[in-house]
Amino acid sequence: MKGKYWPDHLARGYIEVDGVQHSLDHLRPFSYVVNIEEQGKAVTPIQVTVEFSSHCVTKGARTDELIDFSETGFEPLVIDQRRNWRKFLPARYGASTVLPEIMRTLSRRPCFFASERNYLTLEMREVIPGYPEGSQYEIYFNVKQRGNLSVYVYVESAYVRDEYSDSDPYRFRKEDRINGWRLLLNRGTGRAVRRPPSRRR
């Protein structure tokens, strides 16, 4: 459907629903340089390019179901990179306004191995826009090398677990943790990023 793909919305700069324009300026790709210092070694500048998926502001259909736009019309429709139809959610949009700050401070954040290629970081500030006090914001992303001392960070999804969440909560293990600076440094310098083996008693 013309004009409903995520790049279309980004190029337009907003999503309009019920006469309200929700700016997407904060979700446009951006780059920055972070200086990382390993103990006893020189500072290494890593260029970080960040891009956000439509999943940060939308909800997909549950398995074997379709989203019904008959009541709302197609204003909230967003088609993602896999051509899946998704629905704009104001609450997720509100939370997404803190994403640029989170990703700019990734080197100072604890992260977790969420899968073989994805990582997770959490935002547990007192207030997540659009959600009750004390909510926990989960940000899932991957990191790829883009040349020497350069990485590409793609934020695949970000959400607070609520009635729209259809996946099981992530179970944290101490051995799944990796510092954000280590993740960026290893990727940027071509070093391996390996998930530690599970420690069983």
Side-chain angles (χ1 to χ4, degrees), residues 27-38:
L27 295 179
R28 285 177 168 164
F30 64 87
S31 298
Y32 66 95
V33 174
V34 58
N35 293 312
I36 299 175
E37 182 177 6
E38 287 187 273

Side-chain angles (χ1 to χ4, degrees), residues 12-28:
R12 192 179 302 115
Y14 62 87
I15 293 177
E16 183 170 349
V17 179
D18 295 331
V20 178
Q21 291 185 359
H22 302 273
S23 173
L24 298 177
D25 287 346
H26 64 290
L27 295 179
R28 285 177 168 164

Side-chain angles (χ1 to χ4, degrees), residues 68-124:
D68 185 6
F69 288 96
S70 61
E71 292 186 5
T72 63
F74 290 102
E75 278 192 334
L77 171 62
V78 177
I79 304 175
D80 71 7
Q81 71 277 12
R82 299 185 182 91
R83 297 181 179 271
N84 293 320
W85 285 28
R86 299 178 62 87
K87 185 176 182 179
F88 176 79
L89 288 185
R92 285 193 183 179
Y93 169 81
S96 76
T97 58
V98 302
L99 280 175
E101 177 191 346
I102 291 171
M103 302 317 293
R104 287 184 184 277
T105 58
L106 190 59
S107 64
R108 304 199 297 268
R109 293 176 172 272
C111 301
F112 298 86
F113 288 86
S115 66
E116 291 302 317
R117 58 185 291 271
N118 278 10
Y119 304 91
L120 163 69
T121 191
L122 301 169
E123 178 63 25
M124 294 179 285

